Amino acid sequence: MDRIAIIGCGGSGKSRIARKLAQILDAPLTHLDAIYYDQQWNPLPQEKFAAKQEKLVAGERWIIEGNYAGTLPIRLATADTVIFLDLPAATCLWGIAQRRRRYRGGQHQADGVYDRITWNFIRYILGYRRAMRPRIQNLIQAHEPHVRLISLTSRRQANQLVDRLRQGAQPTT
C-alpha cells in the first residue's frame, strides 16, 4: 500500500480515514478539495486540476482523498490500492452534520478544506449511490488488474481497517 486513492461520497469519512492512514503508513497525504477550491470556494480550471494530480501521482508513495470522478482515472492509473467508502446516504448526511458542528462551518485546520454545505451538496449525497456509484465502480473495474479494491460499507469497517493496519496486518478486500 504505497499509492492509495480514497474515494466515496461527501460525508463518508474520506478525510478522516486518510489522515489516520497517512499517520500509520507515514505517507504524504493530499486532500483534493484543498487543491480544487481556493479560499473563496472557486474551482480550479479542470486542466490545471488534472495537471496537479499528474504531478502528485508521479510520486513513489501517496495517499490522495477525494472523489472527482472526472480525474479519477489519473489516480487509478498509478494507484496500487483504492479504498472506496460506499456508505449509505443517511450515514454520509450524519457525517456532514458532525463535520459542520465540529468546524462550525469554517476552515478545517487539518486539511485546509472549507466546510461548505449547500442544498445541491445534500442532493448529491442523497443521489450518490444511484448516480455516482455505478460510474465510480466502472472506472475502478477498468483498472482492477493492478489495483486492490477495499470497499467499505460502514464506519465500523473503516475503523477495523485502520485498526488492522495500525497492528501491522494486511487489509482484507
Side-chain angles (χ1 to χ4, degrees):
M1 293 180 67
D2 290 318
R3 295 173 309 280
I4 304 167
I6 301 175
I7 56 178
C9 185
S12 63
K14 295 181 303 293
S15 296
R16 184 179 162 276
I17 195 170
R19 283 190 300 272
K20 289 182 178 194
L21 293 182
Q23 184 178 43
I24 293 166
L25 301 173
D26 192 29
L29 169 60
T30 301
H31 301 277
L32 289 180
D33 282 349
I35 292 174
Y36 188 66
Y37 293 107
D38 66 15
Q39 294 291 345
Q40 287 73 43
W41 206 248
N42 297 309
L44 193 64
Q46 192 69 19
E47 62 278 354
K48 288 184 180 182
F49 185 52
K52 286 188 177 221
Q53 287 182 67
E54 292 283 357
K55 287 180 184 175
L56 288 169
V57 300
E60 265 185 58
R61 298 186 72 230
W62 47 262
I63 296 173
I64 301 174
E65 72 86 7
N67 225 25
Y68 299 96
T71 58
L72 183 55
I74 294 169
R75 288 166 272 144
L76 293 176
T78 58
D80 58 35
T81 305
V82 172
I83 298 173
F84 181 29
L85 296 170
D86 188 15
L87 280 61
T91 303
C92 295
L93 289 171
W94 180 248
I96 65 166
Q98 289 179 313
R99 180 171 66 203
R100 172 51 65 112
R101 189 180 75 241
R102 185 178 317 119
Y103 297 110
R104 294 175 184 80
Q107 191 84 12
H108 299 204
Q109 292 179 347
D111 54 28
V113 177
Y114 186 77
D115 185 31
R116 182 173 181 215
I117 300 171
T118 64
W119 284 113
N120 283 339
F121 185 50
I122 291 170
R123 281 192 292 275
Y124 170 78
I125 290 170
L126 291 171
Y128 183 88
R129 281 185 142 182
R130 182 179 72 307
M132 284 302 295
R133 180 185 4 168
R135 183 174 174 199
I136 298 295
Q137 289 171 325
N138 287 337
L139 289 169
I140 292 170
Q141 284 177 346
H143 293 85
E144 246 180 341
H146 74 273
V147 172
R148 177 198 310 195
L149 173 62
I150 300 171
S151 187
L152 306 171
T153 57
S154 70
R155 295 215 191 275
R156 172 184 244 164
Q157 288 179 350
N159 290 334
Q160 288 170 342
L161 172 66
V162 169
D163 290 343
R164 280 194 303 275
L165 292 172
R166 190 175 283 129
Q167 295 166 3
Q170 286 297 312
T172 57
T173 54

